[in-house]
Each structure stands twice: as structure tokens, then as C-alpha cells.
Amino acid sequence: MTTDATAPWLVVGLGNPGPGYAGNRHNVGFMVADLLAERMGGSFKRATKAQAQVVEGRIGAPGPASRRVVLAKPMSYMNLSGGPVVSLRDFYKVPTANIVAIHDELDIDYGVLRLKLGGGDNGHNGLKSMTKAMGADYHRLRFGIGRPPGRMQVADFVLKDFSAAERKELDYFVDRAADAVECLVTEGLERAQSAYNS
């Protein structure tokens, strides 16, 4: 699928607002969005048109390869992410194919990345809400968090902070995920998949 080179991109980190959730596995989308904002030299501000925080800027080398990007963190809680995303999409006139959701993924080993366009939600409430609100034809960067140990419930696992052992590598994996988003936006899905889908 080709995308309009002049149209903006909307990159959405999925998570839950508030300091109590900040280090949770479910909030890895926020972590990647925060790093991308830092790289763009911006800081998140409350959006006037949506229940979200946004940063506007550019990704890519200055010149024709540079892409206009709106980074967003919905402030609605994970299972209501679709509303803020659709509001931002409409306000910034972003084609659905130029939307990227960054989210935690249980069915992939910790730190493994997978980029794809479209597909199911695999039980992820943030994706479920987005797909219900606008269809499934948006990009996803799936950040592997692995399955819960033993008999731990999935809901408990995703709302727990990364373990001490996981935190040792977390910065590296978040950095790589931010690289993958930049590659997707500037060079396209196929190139990003071949470079980052491990």
C-alpha cells in the first residue's frame, strides 16, 4: 500500500495515564512515544481537540525524506483509545494507513519487535478500541512482553512493572522500537520489516 508522501503520520503510543501505570508492561507504547518525542525535540502537551497528549514535529533527515508526524498518547485509558485516536486522525487529516499503534504483545518473546499493517487485535483492548472506531487498516508495532509466568492472570501481568532483569535491557529495546517507527515512517513497511522484524 502506498501512502501520500505529503500527508502527516499519526504515531500513537498505547498505555494508561498516571504515574501508577508508568512502568507497567502495558505502557511500553508510552515509553517508545516518550523517546520519539525526545528525539524530535518536543514535549507532550494536552491536545485541544482530543483526550490525548501530543507532540508535533518531523521524523527523518531534513529535506524530501522528512515526514510530518503527530505523536500521541491517549489519556482515556487503554480500553477507550479509539475515541482520541479518531479525533486526532480527523483533526490532522491523517489517512488511516498513516497511523501507527505502538503496543505491548503477549504472544512474542520479550523485546522482540514485529511491524505489520492491519490484522486482528489478539485480545489487546487498546487495539480492539481503535479497530472498532476506525477499522483495522493501520500499522502496528508490536513490542513483545512474553507470556505471564505460571498461573498469573494476563491482566495482572500486563499491569505489573517490568522485572529487574527485564529493565536491564528495556532501554535498548525501547530505543530499537523507536528506530523501527522512524524507519517505517521514512522508508516504508517492507524496509522496516526486513530491518526490525526479528
Side-chain angles (χ1 to χ4, degrees):
M1 176 184 291
T2 57
T3 52
D4 176 359
T6 61
W9 283 75
L10 175 58
V11 176
V12 182
L14 293 180
N16 287 306
Y21 296 102
N24 289 180
R25 292 181 178 91
H26 223 20
N27 269 43
V28 75
F30 275 18
M31 295 173 198
V32 177
D34 285 339
L35 179 57
L36 285 165
E38 198 180 301
R39 290 181 180 186
M40 283 165 54
S43 54
F44 280 98
K45 294 176 177 56
R46 195 82 189 189
T48 49
K49 301 291 180 186
Q51 196 179 355
Q53 291 184 350
V54 295
V55 174
E56 296 178 57
R58 298 190 83 82
I59 284 179
S66 169
R67 297 284 177 266
R68 193 154 68 90
V69 172
V70 179
L71 281 177
K73 297 192 294 187
M75 293 287 116
S76 57
Y77 291 97
M78 183 69 85
N79 59 354
L80 298 171
S81 301
V85 174
V86 165
S87 296
L88 293 169
R89 178 198 69 181
D90 294 348
F91 179 71
Y92 289 103
K93 299 179 172 50
V94 180
T96 303
N98 279 24
I99 296 174
V100 186
I102 308 166
H103 65 93
D104 57 306
E105 177 62 62
L106 287 158
D107 286 338
I108 304 176
D109 289 341
Y110 175 59
V112 173
L113 302 176
R114 291 271 192 284
L115 286 146
K116 69 175 195 167
L117 175 63
D121 57 54
N122 204 20
H124 192 287
N125 288 331
L127 295 181
K128 199 176 287 182
S129 177
M130 283 181 63
T131 298
K132 186 177 176 192
M134 63 182 192
D137 294 331
Y138 55 90
H139 289 86
R140 299 100 192 276
L141 173 62
R142 302 156 74 202
F143 186 112
I145 60 168
R147 301 293 305 182
R151 296 184 177 189
M152 187 188 288
Q153 294 296 309
V154 164
D156 294 334
F157 179 67
V158 299
L159 292 175
K160 278 203 176 353
D161 286 2
F162 285 100
S163 69
E166 287 170 334
R167 282 199 299 273
K168 287 179 182 156
E169 295 182 292
L170 184 59
D171 286 349
Y172 168 76
F173 290 139
V174 167
D175 194 65
R176 197 161 178 275
D179 291 345
V181 171
E182 290 178 343
C183 184
L184 169 63
V185 168
T186 57
E187 300 184 53
L189 179 60
E190 207 171 296
R191 174 78 186 85
Q193 283 176 324
S194 66
Y196 293 98
N197 279 17
S198 33

